[in-house]
Amino acid sequence: MRGLLKLSGAIDWLNAQVGKWVIWLILGSTLISAVNAMVRKAFNVSSNAYLEVQWYLFAGAFLLAAGYTLLHGEHVKIDVVSSHFSKRKQIWIDIIGFAFFLTPMCLIVLWFGIPFFLQGYHSGEVSSNAGGLIRWPVYLLMPIGFALLLLQGISELIKRVAFLRGLIPDPTEKKVAKTAEEELAEELRRQAEAEGRV
């Protein structure tokens, strides 16, 4: 189980790194949208390429961050029902969901998504819009995003099983980061204790 937990840690690290960088796609999409709007208003000129780049970046952010979102437990869950169950039952619901729903869904998307990407890549498919972009880069996002989601699902499954075996603390417990004010208050308290004022 120790090896599986190391694998889980590596997957968690990978999706955490992807999540840190994917946020920039949202900024890029926003900036392109703003520039496109200003150019359109000021010069009465627009380009379908700008619109498609925005779509590509947003699709990239959504698909590539799916694993990151699962890592942080931010996917939509039906807590109204499961919150009435014991922690063990909640963990078992997660295990069943990861094993019998998330994993097969990701594998099916990969099964169809990889050939779909390859077909677009080999054909050099281009958007039918005037001035549109090539399509294969956005098609590539689908298998990459679902592969990252599948890996994170495997990691979460490992962590749930390890928790049931008593090897790790509750993986579903949210780790809330301290605010800047809380960190400052702690630092001031430590300094005061070091100086012997408290």
Side-chain angles (χ1 to χ4, degrees):
M1 192 73 197
R2 190 171 296 166
L4 289 174
L5 284 170
K6 279 188 177 180
L7 172 64
S8 173
I11 293 169
D12 291 354
W13 178 86
L14 172 65
N15 273 311
Q17 296 308 306
V18 169
K20 285 180 188 176
W21 289 101
V22 164
I23 191 72
W24 293 102
L25 298 179
I26 298 291
L27 177 63
S29 179
T30 304
L31 292 175
I32 290 169
S33 176
V35 168
N36 191 30
M38 288 188 289
V39 168
R40 188 173 60 244
K41 292 289 183 189
F43 304 107
N44 200 24
V45 174
S46 185
S47 167
N48 285 327
Y50 291 138
L51 297 173
E52 290 186 9
V53 165
Q54 288 172 238
W55 174 61
Y56 284 20
L57 293 175
F58 184 75
F62 181 81
L63 288 165
L64 298 176
Y68 177 81
T69 305
L70 183 58
L71 169 64
H72 292 285
E74 296 297 332
H75 279 97
V76 176
K77 292 172 76 174
I78 306 175
D79 292 335
V80 175
V81 176
S82 68
S83 64
H84 297 292
F85 297 147
S86 68
K87 179 51 75 175
R88 288 186 71 80
K89 284 184 183 173
Q90 290 175 13
I91 295 293
W92 273 108
I93 290 170
D94 284 351
I95 288 172
I96 291 167
F98 293 139
F100 297 106
F101 295 99
L102 179 70
T103 300
M105 187 259 318
C106 288
L107 290 172
I108 289 168
V109 171
L110 288 171
W111 179 263
F112 290 106
I114 292 171
F116 185 69
F117 153 69
L118 290 172
Q119 180 184 3
Y121 177 77
H122 290 301
S123 69
E125 183 180 345
V126 177
S127 169
S128 59
N129 296 319
L133 303 175
I134 56 173
R135 294 282 188 176
W136 69 261
V138 79
Y139 294 164
L140 177 61
L141 294 173
M142 190 169 40
I144 292 174
F146 275 89
L148 290 169
L149 181 60
L150 175 63
L151 287 172
Q152 193 59 48
I154 292 167
S155 172
E156 297 302 316
L157 186 60
I158 291 167
K159 288 186 278 192
R160 298 315 190 270
V161 171
F163 170 74
L164 289 177
R165 295 178 67 184
L167 301 174
I168 62 170
D170 183 2
T172 63
E173 194 173 287
K174 298 229 178 179
K175 294 150 187 86
V176 180
K178 293 179 182 169
T179 64
E181 293 81 8
E182 290 171 328
E183 287 181 5
L184 177 61
E186 273 190 21
E187 180 61 30
L188 292 173
R189 188 172 28 253
R190 276 195 297 273
Q191 287 177 358
E193 286 172 356
E195 294 172 5
R197 287 185 291 170
V198 176

